């Protein structure tokens, strides 16, 4: 008597990886996971995209800015322009995770601004924001650079990156620090040999554009994905304004996104660097560059708005 043998089950072929969540509806890709908030900014790819929709910040005296929308790809220059007292600096600080939003949501480099502000602060560096990261006039250029390198080595790296650095020899660590120092100076276009006393030149003796270059170099030492610059064109002549925007365009061309507060946005940037213009306005919070301009606010209104901005700076969280 012959016993019937069961037929073997057919082997299942593995499904090809389509990058789509199996639980997601057909035809719709799964959303990209949030970046690791503990990762080292230097190890993340490229610049940081900025996506904000309907964000606003309210202080004790009312709204500082409201209804702001920003869409900027990595490696873009975002010009935040408008009249003085319309919340430009507060918007700059909010997008870098240093002021708390009242409404709306935004993502910077894929990180959610409301829930991951600390991680955004590690990837977004401030460069020349008066009242927040002022330079010490009595210190020299070289002292500022050495201080920033030491602070970056001690506090500005992720735990894993700090462990890797600790395993290197002192000679290798000094060489790495020197390389980062030189790369930041080159990216900012700051030649120490052209300064009156070289690296021993005091900050108080720098011209305004030279001070801007130093601030950008200090910010780039941390290898951020985004830098923020306030008052780019303040008290600069037309030729110097062109040099300042050319500097920021070159930084953006290297892949770092740039947020810049200015009195007047340029018509374009060298090298076809993407330019996004956000015009802040007292009545509506912000409008696009294509919207018609509204009458300038009266002097009393501007003074009142500046008080609201100052109150917001004092009351909202800042790192």
């Amino acid at each position: 008597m012959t016993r019937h043998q069961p037929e073997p089950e057919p082997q299942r072929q593995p499904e090809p990886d389509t990058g789509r969540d199996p639980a997601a509806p057909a035809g719709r890709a799964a959303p990209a996971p949030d970046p690791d908030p503990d990762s080292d900014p230097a190890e993340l790819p490229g610049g940081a995209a900025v996506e904000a929709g309907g964000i606003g910040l309210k202080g004790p005296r009312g709204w500082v800015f409201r209804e702001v929308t920003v869409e900027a790809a990595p490696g873009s220059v975002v010009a935040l322009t408008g009249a003085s007292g319309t919340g430009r600096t507060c918007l700059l600080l909010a997008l870098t995770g240093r002021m708390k939003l009242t409404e709306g949501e935004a993502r910077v480099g894929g990180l959610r601004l409301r829930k991951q502000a600390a991680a955004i602060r590690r990837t977004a560096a401030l460069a020349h924001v008066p009242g927040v990261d002022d330079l010490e006039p009595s210190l020299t250029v070289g002292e500022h650079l050495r201080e920033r390198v030491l602070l970056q080595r001690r506090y500005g790296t992720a735990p894993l990156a700090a462990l890797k650095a600790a395993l290197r020899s002192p000679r290798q660590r000094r060489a790495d620090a020197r390389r980062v120092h030189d790369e930041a100076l080159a990216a900012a276009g700051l030649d120490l040999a052209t300064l009156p006393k070289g690296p021993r030149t005091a900050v108080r003796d720098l011209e305004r554009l030279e001070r801007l270059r130093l601030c950008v170099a200090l910010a780039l030492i941390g290898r951020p994905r985004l830098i923020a610059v306030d008052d780019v064109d303040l008290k600069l002549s037309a030729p110097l304004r062109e040099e300042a925007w050319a500097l920021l365009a070159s930084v953006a061309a290297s892949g770092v996104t740039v947020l810049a507060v200015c009195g007047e946005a340029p018509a374009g940037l060298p090298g076809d660097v993407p330019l996004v213009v956000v015009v802040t306005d007292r009545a509506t919070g912000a409008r696009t560059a294509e919207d018609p301009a509204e009458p300038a606010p009266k002097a009393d209104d501007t003074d009142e708005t500046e008080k609201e901005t100052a109150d917001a700076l004092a009351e909202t969280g800042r790192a």
Side-chain angles (χ1 to χ4, degrees):
M1 181 175 181
T2 304
R3 182 175 297 179
H4 177 69
Q5 298 291 335
E7 297 181 0
E9 296 182 0
Q11 295 183 352
R12 298 180 61 182
Q13 297 294 329
E15 297 181 0
D17 185 9
T18 60
R20 185 175 64 85
D21 187 356
R28 181 181 300 176
D34 293 337
D36 184 3
D38 295 327
S39 57
D40 187 359
E43 297 178 354
L44 296 174
V50 180
E51 303 170 348
I55 61 174
L57 187 149
K58 188 175 184 180
R61 295 175 180 267
W63 289 98
V64 180
F65 61 83
R66 199 176 188 185
E67 304 285 337
V68 176
T69 298
V70 182
E71 292 287 341
S76 302
V77 174
V78 182
L80 308 177
T81 184
S84 177
T86 55
R88 300 174 304 171
T89 302
C90 290
L91 177 58
L92 182 83
L93 294 174
L95 291 175
T96 56
R98 289 163 173 86
M99 297 191 78
K100 297 178 181 178
L101 294 176
T102 305
E103 67 177 11
E105 185 54 271
R107 283 179 175 264
V108 178
L111 298 169
R112 291 170 291 179
L113 188 56
R114 283 183 173 271
K115 295 184 178 181
Q116 298 173 294
I120 291 175
R121 289 194 293 270
R122 287 196 293 270
T123 64
L126 299 183
H128 190 265
V129 182
V132 180
D133 67 339
D134 297 299
L135 301 176
E136 177 56 51
S138 61
L139 294 181
T140 66
V141 173
E143 288 170 340
H144 274 93
L145 292 167
R146 288 193 297 272
E147 178 189 54
R148 184 59 61 91
V149 170
L150 291 174
L151 289 174
Q152 178 65 26
R153 184 192 305 172
R154 178 64 179 85
Y155 301 106
T157 56
L160 182 58
L163 178 60
K164 292 179 179 178
L167 296 177
R168 297 188 181 100
S169 67
R171 186 174 183 177
Q172 289 177 321
R173 290 199 296 268
R174 287 194 298 269
D176 291 342
R178 187 66 189 179
R179 176 172 49 82
V180 172
H181 169 278
D182 293 342
E183 289 176 354
L185 288 177
L190 182 61
D191 186 359
L192 299 182
T194 62
L195 300 180
K197 296 181 181 179
R200 299 177 60 187
T201 304
V203 168
R204 68 166 66 94
D205 297 329
L206 295 177
E207 299 292 339
R208 185 167 182 83
L209 186 58
E210 292 172 339
R211 185 173 300 193
L212 175 61
R213 292 185 185 278
L214 174 59
C215 291
V216 171
L218 293 173
L220 292 176
I221 285 177
R223 297 182 178 180
R225 303 179 65 197
L226 179 148
I227 66 170
V229 187
D230 196 11
D231 292 335
V232 172
D233 54 358
L234 182 64
K235 298 181 181 180
L236 290 181
S237 62
L240 292 181
R241 283 200 299 269
E242 292 183 4
E243 287 190 44
W245 285 113
L247 163 63
L248 300 184
S250 66
V251 173
S254 69
V256 179
T257 306
V258 178
L259 300 180
V261 170
C262 58
E264 181 180 357
L269 295 173
D272 295 328
V273 173
L275 174 65
V276 178
V277 179
V278 177
V279 184
T280 58
D281 184 88
R282 173 173 167 77
T284 61
R287 66 176 191 273
T288 61
E290 290 76 13
D291 293 336
E294 297 184 2
K298 298 180 180 179
D300 294 340
D301 293 340
T302 302
D303 293 341
E304 186 68 20
T305 308
E306 290 176 349
K307 292 179 182 178
E308 295 173 4
T309 303
D311 288 336
L313 283 167
E315 295 293 334
T316 52
R318 178 190 296 171

